[in-house]
DNA sequence: TTGAAAGCGCTAACAC
DNA sequence: GTGTTAGCGCTTTCAA
């Protein structure tokens, strides 16, 4: 392995000067610089990042914690973080938390041990006080998809309640009266806030959402399939199904299709998130946009500016992103 | 930041002994070990991985190069690598290559500079001689989804030709005579090998694939939509469309659906890869399985065993994975 | 503008 | 079993 000494020897200078060229840290006579650059090229030298990290006490790596990389929503988030990090010349170290508090915690800790000063964490199950403690000990710690009052300036989150409201309004404004709602089973998910928004919309339309109309399912394709089966078994004649996310909605769609129901004529279906599949299923899903791309970008920028002490432009209230409706073909007027 | 010295001081021992406990590297009296473990816990100490990497000349991090993280196929691959790495107590450093030879090269180089001795690379556009050179200088360098003769023992690849053959047979065995084929535009993709397999199947059925029946498209949803439009404009009455991948097939499906064609009655459609969406679209796609999960796992294990000199169980011929057909509902008999 | 030297936190010989 | 010491490759004072 080539080291800075090899370069120095070949260029006939000291290692310190090579370092100066590498970092543009002090003025170096241009002839000297040239010699060094030649030597670097000749040896195909690349500085050892571990050594740099050790002496600089940080590493040009942003740590990312997510629950599950294979889910489209998170994959998109990770992709957006990676793209943003790349612009700042940072790499991305990914660790999964798998919906387990201990694993989530050790995922974060391991990234910190790797000297990641920048950290973008999508915590699903870790208690707030743990998150606050991490934030206090790590200047570059940022939460995404989560709001924690005490460290809100490090949070990039989404207005789930408004999302729920918009979700319900997609059906309510088209005259639907008998509406089923499919939410996620886990408390950890954003179900309860979305449901609150759904209720608010019902109230504003003078309608009532009964507990019986709320179905619980795992937040994926299979969950949607199962939920729809239960929905059809009920004695109510629903005309619309509000879904926790687009994967659930796809499952609902698939099940309806296999039962020869026509969407949106026999049943309207509304998704949430607007991931790729919403645009790819048939009929295309009317859904609620969760702007995860720009949120991920913001979280990355935020983390990076927090560690560069470039705090002038920080928003003390954090960053809340709003949903909006994306109307496609899965909703009919009744 | 806590260091090994702090722990040593608190436990009343030397740093070396702390290191021994940390690494289980030599026998330590159990009472001493206990004291040290107490001190580690009390200080919430975690060893600095950069320092370890520097002295050990490697890092417990596996570098991954892929073209685009947001594509479902690659997201699934990345997820599988991460899961496997985690089992070996490795982290994952991800870098994207974006179908550009220079970016791909610098992505690999940057991972090497980070001391990643284990490397799983999905190269799309880098010339073989570059890959061979990387392999020669990096014992843990492994290629996935690619076969390079000179370093085949470091390759985990897929039998695209057989895949193409199976793809065509899904239609041929059901009596289709007029078949359109949609392949990827880029040479970099596996199109040509798949096409070769398609041709072989046609030959074995005594049928002829004319150049006019081959359509080129970008390997995604939009590409599928556009391709189908061109297919329907042709003067031939096709009864089946063979697609480069499931995303293309979804686009074909969507376009057919919007034109009120019924699948598979009016047209049969066959995908490739068997990503999630193949199971989620309507009708469910008949497709060819690309076992990316197990391949990614194998590539990760291979890379890790290459650097641990645990080469006894290595296969000098590399690892070729075979496709198989997954029959669902998008193909009819004619 | 450049070089010498110290040291980041850790591991691994080599003593004892 | 445990401590002492050197040094991994780099950056950064401090002098010159």
């Amino acid at each position: 392995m080539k080291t800075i000494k090899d370069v120095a020897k070949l260029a006939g200078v000291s290692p310190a000067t090579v370092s100066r060229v590498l970092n543009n840290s002090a003025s170096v006579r241009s002839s000297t610089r040239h010699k060094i650059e030649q030597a670097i090229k000749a040896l195909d030298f690349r500085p050892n990042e571990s050594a740099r990290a050790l002496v600089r006490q940080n590493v040009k790596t942003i740590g990312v914690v997510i629950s599950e990389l294979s889910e489209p929503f998170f994959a998109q988030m990770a992709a957006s973080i990676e793209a943003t990090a790349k612009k700042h010349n940072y790499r991305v170290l990914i660790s999964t938390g798998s919906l387990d508090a201990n694993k989530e915690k050790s995922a974060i800790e391991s990234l910190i041990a790797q000297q990641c000063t920048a950290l973008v964490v999508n915590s699903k199950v870790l208690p707030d006080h743990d998150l606050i403690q991490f934030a206090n000990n790590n200047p570059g710690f940022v939460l995404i998809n989560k709001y924690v009052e005490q460290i809100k300036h490090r949070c990039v989150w989404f207005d789930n309640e408004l999302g729920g409201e918009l979700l319900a309004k997609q059906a309510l404004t088209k005259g639907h009266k008998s509406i089923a709602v499919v939410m996620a089973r886990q408390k950890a998910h954003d179900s309860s806030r979305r449901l609150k928004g759904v209720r608010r919309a019902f109230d504003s339309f003078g309608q009532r959402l009964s507990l019986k109309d709320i179905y619980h399912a795992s937040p994926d394709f299979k969950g949607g399939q199962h939920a729809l089966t239960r929905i059809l078994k009920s004695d109510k004649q629903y005309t619309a199904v509000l879904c926790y996310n687009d994967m659930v909605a796809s499952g609902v769609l698939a099940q309806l299709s296999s039962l020869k129901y026509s969407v949106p004529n026999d049943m309207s279906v509304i998704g949430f998130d607007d991931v790729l599949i919403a645009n790819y299923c048939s009929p295309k899903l009317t859904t609620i946009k969760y702007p995860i791309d720009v949120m991920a970008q913001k979280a990355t920028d935020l983390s990076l500016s927090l560690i560069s002490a470039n705090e002038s432009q920080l928003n003390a209230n954090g960053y809340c992103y709003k949903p909006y409706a994306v109307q496609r073909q899965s909703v009919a007027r009744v």
Side-chain angles (χ1 to χ4, degrees), chain A residues 14-253:
Chain A
S14 78
T17 305
V18 177
S19 174
R20 288 180 186 111
V21 169
L22 252 23
N23 299 287
N24 265 308
S25 56
S27 47
V28 173
R29 188 179 303 150
S30 80
S31 63
T32 313
R33 152 167 283 121
H34 187 70
K35 272 192 304 182
I36 293 173
E37 281 164 351
Q38 292 294 310
I40 289 176
K41 205 163 281 177
L43 294 174
D44 192 30
F45 165 80
R46 220 165 304 279
N48 181 320
E49 295 296 336
S50 295
R52 296 180 125 178
L54 180 58
V55 53
R56 298 202 287 223
Q57 303 285 19
N58 80 66
V59 83
K60 282 228 168 191
T61 298
I62 184 161
V64 175
V65 177
I66 57 183
S67 52
E68 182 52 70
L69 188 53
S70 63
E71 278 180 40
F73 181 84
F74 293 115
Q76 211 171 320
M77 185 176 114
S80 181
I81 292 173
E82 201 271 344
T84 310
K86 191 164 226 174
K87 281 190 196 132
H88 295 270
N89 211 14
Y90 268 65
R91 316 285 149 269
V92 168
L93 196 54
I94 288 190
S95 211
T96 55
S98 326
L99 299 180
D100 173 308
N102 286 327
K103 284 186 189 164
E104 218 172 69
K105 193 168 185 180
S106 73
I108 298 172
E109 285 172 341
S110 107
L111 294 175
I112 293 171
Q114 310 276 342
Q115 312 293 100
C116 291
T117 44
L119 245 19
V120 172
V121 176
N122 184 182
S123 171
K124 287 284 200 183
V125 289
L126 214 50
D128 284 4
H129 67 84
D130 281 326
L131 297 173
I132 293 167
Q133 195 177 336
F134 277 127
N136 289 337
N137 296 326
N138 301 91
F141 187 88
V142 164
L143 287 175
I144 185 164
N145 300 335
K146 179 142 187 121
Y147 173 81
V148 175
E149 172 67 24
Q150 295 92 326
I151 51 171
K152 60 184 173 186
H153 60 293
R154 322 276 207 92
C155 292
V156 175
W157 73 97
F158 175 77
D159 190 341
N160 275 299
E161 206 172 314
L162 179 55
E165 194 177 336
L166 291 176
L167 175 65
K169 283 187 173 167
Q170 296 313 301
L172 291 166
T173 58
K174 298 263 178 127
H176 291 265
K177 306 273 188 229
S178 183
I179 300 171
V181 182
V182 182
M183 284 289 141
R185 220 184 293 278
Q186 297 99 319
K187 281 275 177 223
H189 286 272
D190 318 301
S191 270
S192 54
R193 309 219 121 254
R194 291 188 192 169
L195 204 50
K196 202 168 163 190
V198 169
R199 285 225 153 78
R200 196 163 66 196
F202 270 69
D203 286 349
S204 75
F205 273 69
Q207 286 190 226
R208 184 180 131 64
L209 181 66
S210 138
L211 270 180
K212 285 192 319 181
D213 300 329
I214 301 171
Y215 295 79
H216 292 275
S218 60
D220 50 28
F221 187 83
K222 281 220 160 64
Q225 291 181 304
H226 294 153
L228 184 89
T229 309
R230 282 178 280 140
I231 285 170
L232 292 183
K233 271 199 199 131
S234 106
D235 39 349
K236 261 202 170 169
Q237 291 290 321
Y238 295 109
T239 60
V241 183
L242 311 183
C243 300
Y244 172 70
N245 67 19
D246 292 335
M247 298 309 286
V248 168
S250 311
V252 166
L253 239 41

